[in-house]
């Protein structure tokens, strides 16, 4: 059973999911704390949030490397320096390569109910499709685009006058709460993965609490 106390959080944008984790981990009983924040670009609010919280940051830009493999190795090395128990990809707009995925469990969050609407435009794609319920998914990352084993999901209604921004904000309110809950439970209770089945907690007798 894995446990997660030290978190490295990866961001590419506003970092409100990161902020929710920073706020939660201010309470020692949460069981996990953000030890570093990484990004694939400069000048984003996510990095500013980390700096305000006095959490160290690092940036590795894909464009600074000749090959994707070199970037994969570089970001894995930056992450490894902080010895995380869990990496949280929270609005990080890059697929991580084998050097990271083979070394650390990586949790990802997505603003749709997977396996529907994977990829960078999950909110827009759900809206265009005309679904009446969408939501958010917290999953373990694998080498695919939003294809890893699902840890938790929560539904969010689509309302008649929604545009992408309004719907995304409604989803993110739920997403932040779910991510904080799941990361905390994984840290405090541990988790196991069997095939696509992820279970949090003490599994003796085959039950999760
Ligand atoms: C989240 O909805 C995440 O699932 C998606 O981008 C958003 C990031 O929001 N990939 P923030 O940067 O945490 O505010």
């Amino acid at each position: 059973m894995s446990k997660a106390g030290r978190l490295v959080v990866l961001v590419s944008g506003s970092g409100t999911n990161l902020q929710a984790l920073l706020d939660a981990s201010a309470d020692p009983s949460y069981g996990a704390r953000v030890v570093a924040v990484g990004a694939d670009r400069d000048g984003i609010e996510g990095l500013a949030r980390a700096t305000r919280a006095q959490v160290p940051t690092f940036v590795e830009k894909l464009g600074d490397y000749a090959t994707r493999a070199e970037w994969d190795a570089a970001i894995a090395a930056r992450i490894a320096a902080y010895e995380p128990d869990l990496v949280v990809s929270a609005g990080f707009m890059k697929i991580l390569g084998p050097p990271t995925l083979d070394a650390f469990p990586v949790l990802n969050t997505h603003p749709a109910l997977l396996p529907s609407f994977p990829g960078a435009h999950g909110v827009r794609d759900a809206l265009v499709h005309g679904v009446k319920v969408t939501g958010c998914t917290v999953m373990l990352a694998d080498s695919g685009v939003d294809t890893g084993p699902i840890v938790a999901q929560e539904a969010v209604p689509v309302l008649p006058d929604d545009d992408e921004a309004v719907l995304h904000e409604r989803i993110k309110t739920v997403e932040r709460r779910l991510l904080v809950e799941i990361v905390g439970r994984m840290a405090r209770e541990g988790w196991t993965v069997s095939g696509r089945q992820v279970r949090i907690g003490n599994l003796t007798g085959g039950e999760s609490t």
Side-chain angles (χ1 to χ4, degrees):
M1 170 155 327
S2 309
K3 280 206 155 197
R6 295 173 61 84
L7 310 175
V8 169
V9 182
L10 303 177
V11 295
S12 296
S14 65
T16 63
N17 281 284
L18 163 66
Q19 188 68 56
L21 290 168
L22 289 168
D23 292 348
S25 60
D27 179 350
S29 69
Y30 182 61
R33 66 192 173 91
V34 181
V35 296
V37 172
D40 62 338
R41 61 199 75 186
D42 296 311
I44 55 173
E45 181 61 14
L47 289 171
R49 290 177 192 277
T51 301
R52 286 197 294 273
Q54 299 183 304
V55 171
T57 63
F58 58 89
V59 176
E60 291 294 346
K61 300 178 198 169
L62 186 54
D64 287 347
Y65 293 88
T67 65
R68 181 84 183 204
E70 288 173 59
W71 178 81
D72 283 338
I75 196 155
R78 299 299 292 270
I79 293 168
Y82 293 98
E83 301 182 344
D85 300 301
L86 181 67
V87 176
V88 183
S89 173
F92 186 62
M93 301 305 283
K94 294 275 185 302
I95 303 295
L96 292 160
T100 298
L101 295 176
D102 292 349
F104 308 105
V106 179
L107 200 66
N108 196 0
T109 176
H110 181 70
L113 290 176
L114 296 170
S116 293
F117 312 117
H121 304 293
V123 178
R124 185 189 311 168
D125 293 345
L127 203 52
V128 168
H129 197 86
V131 297
K132 304 305 179 207
V133 176
T134 184
C136 53
T137 301
V138 175
M139 70 281 191
L140 290 167
D142 65 10
S143 58
V145 177
D146 299 325
T147 51
I150 291 169
V151 183
Q153 294 184 296
E154 204 162 312
V156 174
V158 181
L159 301 182
D161 293 330
D162 278 351
D163 62 17
E164 184 179 354
V166 167
L167 179 57
H168 199 172
E169 277 312 310
R170 188 178 310 117
I171 293 169
K172 283 176 71 171
T173 301
V174 176
E175 185 180 19
R176 287 188 286 265
R177 176 174 47 71
L178 187 65
L179 183 66
V180 164
E181 177 195 327
I182 292 302
V183 169
R185 286 191 58 207
M186 289 171 76
R188 294 186 303 272
E189 302 172 38
W191 74 93
T192 57
V193 184
S194 174
R196 290 198 58 84
Q197 308 305 315
V198 183
R199 290 194 174 190
I200 300 175
N202 182 348
L203 302 179
T204 47
E207 287 182 6
S208 68
T209 51

